[in-house]
């Protein structure tokens, strides 16, 4: 009986990890964000176009934003 309980708990844990991994891989959930979204967000914050490009380029180097040509 305890073996069946152990297997049931292990299976439930694996199912939960797979669901979490699938949700995390959704492009709308987190980085890297699209370059155009970065430009829009920086423009909304009041940055000039040149400053926005520089800021987004810095975020590309850090991996938070996808490069403009991808």
């Amino acid at each position: 009986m305890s073996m069946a309980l152990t297997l049931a708990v292990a299976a439930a844990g694996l199912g939960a990890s797979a669901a979490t991994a699938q949700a995390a891989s959704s492009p709308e959930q987190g980085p890297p964000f699209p370059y155009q979204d970065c430009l829009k967000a920086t423009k909304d914050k009041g940055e000039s176009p040149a400053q926005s490009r520089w800021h987004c380029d810095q975020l590309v180097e850090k991996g938070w934003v996808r490069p403009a040509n991808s």
Side-chain angles (χ1 to χ4, degrees):
M1 178 74 166
S2 68
M3 177 82 110
L5 181 60
T6 304
L7 289 174
V9 170
L14 289 176
S17 333
T20 303
Q22 186 178 20
S25 67
S26 172
E28 298 173 350
Q29 293 285 329
F33 300 103
Y35 196 84
Q36 292 300 322
D37 288 353
C38 179
L39 290 176
K40 182 179 182 318
T42 54
K43 179 184 173 194
D44 291 347
K45 295 288 184 183
E47 293 184 8
S48 70
Q51 190 177 16
S52 293
R53 283 189 303 275
W54 175 85
H55 195 172
C56 292
D57 289 344
Q58 295 297 309
L59 292 172
V60 166
E61 290 179 16
K62 292 181 180 184
W64 281 90
V65 174
R66 287 191 299 262
N69 57 359
S70 64

